[in-house]
Amino acid sequence: MKSVDYDYDVAVIGGGPGGYVAALRAAQLGLRTALVEQADLGGICLNWGCIPTKALLRSADVLRLIRSADRYGVAVGAPVADLSAMVARSRKVASELQRGVAYLLKKNGVEVIHARASLGGAGSVRLENVPDSAHARSFQAAYVILATGARARVLPGLDPDPGSVWYYREALSPGFLPPRMVVIGAGAIGVEFASFYHALGVQVHIVEMADRVLPPEDEEISRHVAAALSKQGMELHLGARMIGSQRAGGVWRIQLQGGVRTLEAEVVLVAAGIVGNHEDLGLERTAVRVERSHVVTDALGATHEPGVYAIGDLAGAPWLAHKASHEAVACVEAIAGGEPHPLDVMRIPACTYSHPQVAHVGLTEAQARARGRAVRVGRFPFTANGKAIALGDTEGFVKVVMDAESGELLGAHMVGAEVTEMIQGYAVAMGLEATEEDLMQTVFPHPTQSEAMHEAVLSAYERALHL
Amino acid sequence: MATLLRMPEVSANVESAVIVAWAKVEGDAVAAGDCVAEIETDKAVVEFVSESAGRLGRILVAAGHEARVGAPVAVLLDDGERDVDVEALLAGQPAGGPLKELASAGPAGPASPAPAAARAAPPAPADTASGRVFASPLARRLAAQAGLPLPGLAGSGPHGRIVKRDVQAALARATAARPSTAPVETAVVPEPAPLRVPGDVAVPHSAMRRTIARRLLESKTTIPHFYLRSECRMEALSALRRQINEAGRHVSINDIIVKAVAVALMDCPDMNVTWTDEALIRHAGADVSVAVSTPSGLITPVVRGVHDKSLSRVSAEIAALVARAREGRLSPQEYQGGSFTVSNLGMYGTTEFAAIINPPQAAILAVGAIERRVVAGPEGSVEVTPMMTVTLSVDHRAIDGAAAAKWLDAFRRVIENPLAALI
């Protein structure tokens, strides 16, 4: 490395699941590494996304379980949901993990700089808002990895307001429980918040432009989730576009296209996509190209500017923490002279922690058919799974899409309790390029819900045993 | 970084193959997908296509020589590389140091964005001792379905494992290569050749046709053939066959001939041999090849252990092999090996013919039609009886005339007295 010319071998801008993992891997490989983060280590995922939402949803699960305790022969009084205690726990979980990330970075010898960074030309990183006045205002790095992530898309007329318009940040630190809520966007984030607030007694409307909830999921899964949410008491407005919003007397009036309905609610929760954080990074001083708020890269994160890389949400969909982390490792290994394999987008699993949970990896049935593949589809319902019956939660099913010719597992889709913990089984099978034969020959332990994964493959070949 | 080109597995269960000819000479530029050599097993000549680009360095196995599957046959140099330490390469130096070492050395400078797909994949590691090839289940299945041999494919998965994308890339190259080679082949046909007049067409040779041509030319020009002819009285055999078929089992004359060949081979072990340069191989059992004419050419599936099998079993196996041969579904192990071939053109009315030995075998029996002929009977009488002429072609390197004559006599006796020998 050019130790004479550069202060660091690698500088990472942004400390989320892409950036901090990039820094860790670079340090592991013996590169002198700096990580610049303007806010909290761990990024949105750890502080305002994946993790704190899971903490809140866990509270909702506990509440739901206690409410159904009599079904299990346990008599308890009516539970009382304490929103502020739930939020406090969620914040505590986030800060605990944040400290964990700080520890890992320190242990591996990454220099963490709390400041705002931008590119100042070839190899130069400028710093603003440096807490320590003695700290240098710029440094040189041989390689710069941009990992600044993304933020919620703000809808016109719906600026964030802790009292009435919530984006994820407000929704994770609510000061009160509104009687009514309109959730705009039925993607993973919208559906998860809807599940949480509904469990706490909020009357929830979900508005989605697409004709189904969780649009990237397999249609059967979307249908099942929509039915489940409706059955729980949420109101779904699918294929509906918001055309106006007015607030008067503490109540939002949300007009949907076609004038069919006007929804009223005290709080509007917006989860309508994200935009990449590409501004104020000094990209205009480089050859880096930005398209629709995302930086254009090759499969290993290289941008059009030599020495400048971009990973994670900033580099485009799918917007998933584990995608960012994987890209980080591949990008750093390529920088270090290795020959990593770029991420295969079709093999990235995705999870939604609604109630019921949803998980998938690979192609939906419709996508597989659209690619001209002859497919075999297998399904297995949890109502036929012994463990699910014993647990008292038989909602949902497992569906697999197999290539009829080669036996390749093209896609796997699940809805039901804790399916997010099972999808990796199929992800491993896909990664190792298992065929139906290998999956059939794999022994799944009894009694587990995972047996449904085995049976779903068997059922694709009309060999299911418990159907 | 120089790499080794290794003998690919041309077809399943083939342990070795012969380099027929090198299509490139040392120093030639090689593009990925280029044919570098023609290689051949018993029944197929295939193009050996290089997975990667570079320059042909040293040829390790000369044309005409055999190499085990997976064995290095040539060195492929990177462009600009002059020569390399072949011994070190053969000793199995890994393609690059571990990542840690690379990292401590550090990258040379800011990398320009390079598409990852351009990175060359290392050849798949094959444990040459066990012949094991590391490939994902899906890659194995896709390759099998496409008839693509896995060894020799470059593996881009973890530790050089062959994965789906490698098979797909190889198939894409094969598809892309086809249209470009076809015109070359037709171009080789001399356009104004005097043999062709307007209306004639030039049909490019199939691989199978080329194999037949090359092997039979080799046989006829390198094996010292001699021929013995015998006439067999067929009334007993024809009667026996009638009885068998009246009993509800269908057995052909050819089935009985194959069985008789095996009986005679066991009687005369000096005929049951194969010539090799190192030694004469004496066979313990009788594996008899049967010449089958198919739309794409002649092929000789083998009936194994005929001496140990009942006539009805032999008959059933021949029927199955012939059916599969005509559908082009024979696997290599079904047409490789065998110590003796039966070729029967009797059904076309051919009275007699002499066949070319099917190498590496040492003998072939050419069977003519059964026809009623006037023959000398006992005590100066003349009778008309069904007769069959057979012609035995023999490799004189392996078998002398007397041994062949004894065998032919034994064969004739079995044919003329089938009941005792066959049942």
Side-chain angles (χ1 to χ4, degrees):
Chain A
M1 193 60 71
K2 309 197 170 177
S3 45
V4 183
D5 303 340
Y6 295 105
D7 302 298
Y8 302 99
D9 298 326
V10 174
V12 183
I13 302 179
Y20 88 74
V21 168
L24 283 180
R25 186 68 187 126
Q28 279 178 351
L29 291 169
L31 303 176
R32 292 170 310 142
T33 309
L35 173 65
V36 190
E37 168 60 56
Q38 63 172 347
D40 298 319
L41 288 175
I44 299 302
C45 160
L46 194 156
N47 296 288
W48 299 103
C50 323
I51 296 293
T53 52
K54 266 39 343 136
L56 289 184
L57 286 162
R58 175 66 176 161
S59 293
D61 283 342
V62 172
L63 190 60
R64 218 177 271 119
L65 190 62
I66 294 173
R67 281 176 184 155
S68 60
D70 58 331
R71 280 174 50 210
Y72 298 90
V74 179
V76 291
V80 178
D82 180 342
L83 179 65
S84 62
M86 289 178 182
V87 171
R89 176 176 175 277
S90 167
R91 300 319 309 157
K92 188 163 159 280
V93 167
S95 63
E96 184 180 328
L97 284 165
Q98 196 193 108
R99 282 196 304 278
V101 171
Y103 161 78
L104 289 172
L105 291 167
K106 188 177 177 194
K107 187 184 98 172
N108 282 280
V110 175
E111 181 166 346
V112 177
I113 302 167
H114 290 280
R116 180 173 172 77
S118 60
L119 297 174
S124 167
V125 175
R126 291 184 194 165
L127 299 176
E128 293 168 61
N129 305 337
V130 184
D132 176 1
S133 59
H135 198 286
R137 290 293 185 269
S138 72
F139 62 81
Q140 299 286 315
Y143 296 91
V144 177
I145 299 175
L146 305 172
T148 51
R151 60 181 183 276
R153 180 187 304 280
V154 174
L155 296 183
L158 290 172
D159 286 331
D161 167 16
S164 67
V165 180
W166 294 357
Y167 288 77
Y168 57 77
R169 198 176 281 260
E170 293 77 24
L172 278 168
S173 52
F176 64 101
L177 266 188
R180 294 170 297 178
M181 174 184 281
V182 171
V183 176
I184 297 175
I189 296 172
V191 169
E192 287 184 10
F193 278 124
S195 286
F196 173 72
Y197 283 106
H198 176 76
L200 264 60
V202 176
Q203 188 192 328
V204 172
H205 291 268
I206 301 179
V207 178
E208 167 61 48
M209 270 166 53
D211 59 357
R212 56 202 179 101
V213 299
L214 301 177
E217 297 293 337
D218 188 273
E219 283 176 48
E220 275 180 73
I221 300 284
S222 287
R223 272 205 302 278
H224 185 98
V225 173
L229 299 182
S230 300
K231 194 175 161 203
Q232 289 166 29
M234 296 181 218
E235 283 203 44
L236 306 186
H237 309 274
L238 304 177
R241 182 189 290 270
M242 184 187 73
I243 49 169
S245 54
Q246 296 87 38
R247 186 162 181 257
V251 175
W252 278 103
R253 294 172 61 81
I254 305 292
Q255 282 108 43
L256 303 183
Q257 195 172 32
V260 178
R261 259 202 96 156
T262 298
L263 306 177
E264 291 193 352
E266 284 70 28
V267 164
V268 176
L269 192 155
V270 184
I274 63 158
V275 290
N277 294 325
H278 63 95
E279 305 92 341
D280 306 325
L281 281 170
L283 299 184
E284 63 283 357
R285 289 186 282 273
T286 69
V288 172
R289 286 194 208 159
V290 177
E291 278 176 17
R292 293 158 143 218
S293 85
H294 296 282
V295 170
V296 180
T297 70
D298 75 359
L300 290 170
T303 67
H304 288 81
E305 173 75 22
V308 176
Y309 294 72
I311 56 171
D313 287 357
L314 178 66
W319 297 295
L320 295 166
H322 42 281
K323 175 255 191 186
S325 300
H326 259 268
E327 282 182 344
V329 170
C331 175
V332 169
E333 290 184 350
I335 286 174
E339 292 194 349
H341 263 293
L343 204 50
D344 181 346
V345 177
M346 286 326 301
R347 289 179 182 169
I348 303 174
C351 299
T352 303
Y353 296 77
S354 48
H355 180 74
Q357 291 185 356
V358 173
H360 85 262
V361 62
L363 300 175
T364 66
E365 183 181 345
Q367 286 168 341
R369 291 190 192 279
R371 290 180 184 207
R373 308 288 281 260
V375 298
R376 278 177 169 270
V377 175
R379 297 174 189 83
F380 193 84
F382 286 117
T383 48
N385 174 272
K387 177 71 177 296
I389 293 169
L391 289 176
D393 196 344
T394 56
E395 168 155 29
F397 62 95
V398 176
K399 171 176 177 177
V400 292
V401 182
M402 317 286 299
D403 186 284
E405 246 170 82
S406 67
E408 179 179 10
L409 177 60
L410 297 175
H413 309 273
M414 306 181 181
V415 54
E418 298 304 326
V419 293
T420 53
E421 292 294 335
M422 300 203 293
I423 194 67
Q424 39 66 30
Y426 282 138
V428 170
M430 255 186 201
L432 296 178
E433 299 190 343
T435 64
E436 91 291 347
E437 207 180 337
D438 308 283
L439 286 161
M440 286 182 189
Q441 286 170 5
T442 301
V443 181
F444 288 72
H446 178 76
T448 62
Q449 287 177 258
S450 73
E451 288 169 283
M453 297 168 66
H454 191 219
E455 292 276 6
V457 174
L458 290 173
S459 105
Y461 293 83
E462 281 114 38
R463 285 182 51 182
L465 294 167
H466 294 90
L467 271 187
Chain B
M1 180 68 205
T3 49
L4 289 170
L5 293 176
R6 294 173 186 277
M7 178 63 82
E9 191 177 3
V10 181
S11 50
N13 299 314
V14 169
E15 287 178 353
S16 63
V18 174
I19 304 271
V20 179
W22 283 96
K24 306 265 181 188
V25 298
E26 292 182 353
D28 272 5
V30 176
D34 270 2
C35 168
V36 291
E38 277 196 329
I39 51 178
E40 179 253 352
T41 60
D42 282 4
K43 282 290 173 188
V45 174
V46 297
E47 290 189 344
F48 180 9
V49 171
S50 175
E51 306 288 337
S52 28
R55 206 157 44 75
L56 194 61
R58 196 184 311 173
I59 288 174
L60 304 172
V61 176
H65 286 75
E66 196 169 7
R68 292 185 65 82
V69 166
V73 294
V75 178
L76 188 68
L77 301 172
D78 265 1
D79 284 332
E81 220 169 3
R82 293 201 62 79
D83 205 345
V84 289
D85 185 347
V86 177
E87 299 310 317
L89 208 56
L90 290 175
Q93 292 294 316
L99 198 53
K100 278 270 184 198
E101 285 172 27
L102 286 170
S104 58
S112 57
R119 290 158 194 269
D127 183 339
T128 42
S130 67
R132 183 171 171 199
V133 175
F134 293 92
S136 78
L138 183 60
R140 283 179 193 282
R141 182 171 293 174
L142 292 173
Q145 287 175 345
L148 183 75
L150 275 178
L153 281 195
S156 68
H159 303 288
R161 191 177 192 235
I162 299 169
V163 294
K164 174 184 162 191
R165 61 174 165 260
D166 303 322
V167 176
Q168 288 178 331
L171 291 175
R173 276 196 300 277
T175 318
R178 226 168 274 142
S180 67
T181 54
V184 173
E185 266 192 299
T186 47
V188 168
V189 177
E191 281 298 338
L195 289 175
R196 280 178 65 191
V197 297
D200 294 356
V201 290
V203 180
H205 299 310
S206 68
M208 189 167 177
R209 199 69 241 161
R210 285 184 188 279
T211 307
I212 293 168
R214 192 181 39 71
R215 286 167 53 85
L216 293 183
L217 180 66
E218 175 200 313
S219 172
K220 192 73 179 175
T221 53
T222 66
I223 296 177
H225 285 63
F226 70 94
Y227 310 94
L228 294 85
R229 195 175 66 201
S230 182
E231 303 208 334
C232 309
R233 298 176 70 102
M234 297 301 285
E235 63 265 58
L237 192 142
S238 296
L240 175 70
R241 182 190 170 223
R242 240 186 340 268
Q243 281 172 25
I244 296 172
N245 288 350
E246 275 164 13
R249 294 184 184 170
H250 183 77
V251 169
S252 72
I253 294 288
N254 200 55
D255 297 338
I256 303 175
I257 291 170
V258 169
K259 179 67 189 174
V261 162
V263 171
L265 284 174
M266 300 314 282
D267 272 2
C268 306
D270 287 348
M271 263 297 284
N272 197 13
V273 296
T274 298
W275 171 267
T276 71
D277 285 337
E278 295 76 32
L280 187 73
I281 311 298
R282 305 187 75 98
H283 300 293
D287 294 348
V288 182
S289 306
V290 181
V292 178
S293 141
T294 74
S296 46
L298 178 73
I299 195 158
T300 54
V302 186
V303 190
R304 313 263 173 204
V306 176
H307 61 291
D308 265 347
K309 288 176 180 163
S310 70
L311 180 58
S312 56
R313 171 106 184 261
V314 169
S315 173
E317 288 189 14
I318 291 176
L321 287 169
V322 169
R324 291 153 66 81
R326 299 219 159 114
E327 291 162 17
R329 292 198 297 115
L330 285 178
S331 64
Q333 61 265 38
E334 285 177 312
Y335 56 72
Q336 289 168 356
S339 53
F340 190 105
T341 296
V342 172
S343 179
N344 190 340
L345 293 178
M347 61 290 258
Y348 302 108
T350 300
T351 309
E352 60 174 280
F353 68 105
I356 300 173
I357 291 168
N358 178 22
Q361 297 176 359
I364 184 167
L365 189 71
V367 181
I370 299 171
E371 56 183 10
R372 296 173 73 77
R373 292 181 200 154
V374 177
V375 295
E379 293 165 26
S381 67
V382 169
E383 58 188 52
V384 175
T385 191
M387 299 294 291
M388 177 181 79
T389 303
V390 294
T391 309
L392 181 65
S393 308
V394 186
D395 180 352
H396 213 322
R397 295 173 303 175
I399 301 162
D400 289 336
K406 275 188 210 163
W407 181 90
L408 192 55
D409 188 48
F411 171 78
R412 186 186 51 76
R413 275 188 282 111
V414 174
I415 291 293
E416 293 186 351
N417 306 283
L419 204 57
L422 297 180
I423 304 298

